Amino acid sequence: MKHLIPLAILFFLCLTPLLSFSQKHFTAKEDSFPPSEARLFSLRIPERQLLKLDLLPVMRLSSNGYIHGVVRAGYERKIFTSWSMIAEVATPWQVFMGKGNPRNKYYSDDLSVGFATGPRYYYNLRERMQDGRNADNLSANYLGMLFSTRLKPYQNGYTTTDRSGLLYSDNFAITPLWGFQRRLMRIGFLDFSFGAKFSYGDPVRAKVFHPKGAEAGWQFLPVTSLRIGLAL
């Protein structure tokens, strides 16, 4: 009996680290799946800037032999706790994979580059930071204003001296927005917004105000946007 007591003590001493490891391992599994809201959206990780690549419109396959899409990238940087500035560029691309004359099957404008910039105000960020739900980052609800235009190249030979291939703007838009942006873990982002677009020079679509007899004048359009992609 005297020999059993030291053996029992030694057994429990050896068993304690194993129980502790098992408990920690089980807790880690519970914390990692399903991920909490703070972990999924990286709400408690501070950041001052984001470089974003939208993956939703990058590649599409059409029925007439084209692979096409839009490459859209954006950069957002904080200027104050609740304010940031954003700049975006976007350009379409296409590759014809079918047979025959592609111009007879698919019409596309010449190469163009869209550019947009404007401020964002994350109106609930300070409150979330005070409650401990957010760090000083770019994951919150916002009010924004975008100023956008499209740049297109001049056709070479339009005049005898025009050989430069310079870009010119053929439209302009002002778009107030409400939206929310969230990080997806540490390499992704989600940005959803909707608002009203006041544009000049766009093709005629649904409109409230449009100059009579003008092919493309001022228009009012409701707009919405969903962007999911990579963020660094």
Side-chain angles (χ1 to χ4, degrees):
M1 187 68 179
K2 293 181 179 180
H3 297 289
L4 292 177
I5 295 177
L7 289 175
I9 295 174
L10 182 61
F11 174 78
F12 281 109
L13 288 176
C14 294
L15 186 62
T16 299
L18 294 175
L19 291 174
S20 177
F21 173 80
S22 177
Q23 184 178 5
K24 289 181 179 179
H25 186 65
F26 180 75
T27 302
K29 283 187 176 181
E30 285 189 335
D31 290 342
S32 60
F33 185 83
S36 64
E37 180 186 7
R39 181 172 180 181
L40 176 62
F41 298 127
S42 299
L43 297 178
R44 297 192 179 95
I45 299 177
E47 59 190 355
R48 305 294 298 176
Q49 61 186 0
L50 277 180
L51 181 62
K52 299 177 283 188
L53 177 63
D54 187 7
L55 296 181
L56 289 182
V58 166
M59 182 178 294
R60 297 169 184 170
L61 178 63
S62 63
S63 59
N64 52 14
Y66 271 90
I67 299 176
H68 62 100
V70 176
V71 178
R72 181 185 291 118
Y75 176 73
E76 184 176 0
R77 184 173 181 84
K78 281 204 168 194
I79 51 178
F80 301 108
T81 299
S82 299
W83 289 87
S84 72
M85 286 293 296
I86 186 168
E88 298 178 344
V89 292
T91 184
W93 68 273
Q94 61 181 15
V95 176
F96 182 66
M97 305 296 291
K99 297 180 181 180
N101 185 359
R103 286 294 179 181
N104 294 334
K105 295 184 177 182
Y106 186 85
Y107 174 78
S108 175
D109 291 335
D110 293 331
L111 175 66
S112 62
V113 178
F115 177 76
T117 186
R120 282 185 176 183
Y121 171 57
Y122 290 92
Y123 58 87
N124 66 339
L125 182 58
R126 285 184 179 274
E127 179 182 352
R128 291 180 62 87
M129 290 172 60
Q130 291 174 358
D131 294 341
R133 294 179 292 166
N134 251 83
D136 187 2
N137 54 28
L138 295 164
S139 291
N141 300 351
Y142 64 82
L143 297 172
M145 184 75 71
L146 273 183
F147 303 91
S148 58
T149 187
R150 178 178 58 205
L151 302 177
K152 299 181 68 175
Y154 281 109
Q155 293 182 358
N156 289 334
Y158 186 75
T159 67
T160 57
T161 58
D162 182 16
R163 303 290 180 182
S164 60
L166 296 176
L167 299 176
Y168 72 97
S169 172
D170 70 340
N171 74 340
F172 176 74
I174 303 172
T175 310
L177 295 165
W178 175 91
F180 64 87
Q181 180 170 262
R182 298 291 188 272
R183 271 285 206 172
L184 295 177
M185 304 301 286
R186 290 297 295 160
I187 60 171
F189 80 100
L190 180 151
D191 189 348
F192 173 80
S193 64
F194 68 88
K197 181 179 181 181
F198 299 87
S199 66
Y200 182 86
D202 282 342
V204 178
R205 302 184 180 94
K207 69 274 185 185
V208 174
F209 173 70
H210 184 260
K212 184 178 180 180
E215 180 63 23
W218 283 102
Q219 299 182 63
F220 168 83
L221 298 167
V223 292
T224 185
S225 172
L226 174 62
R227 300 179 182 183
I228 300 175
L230 299 176
L232 303 175

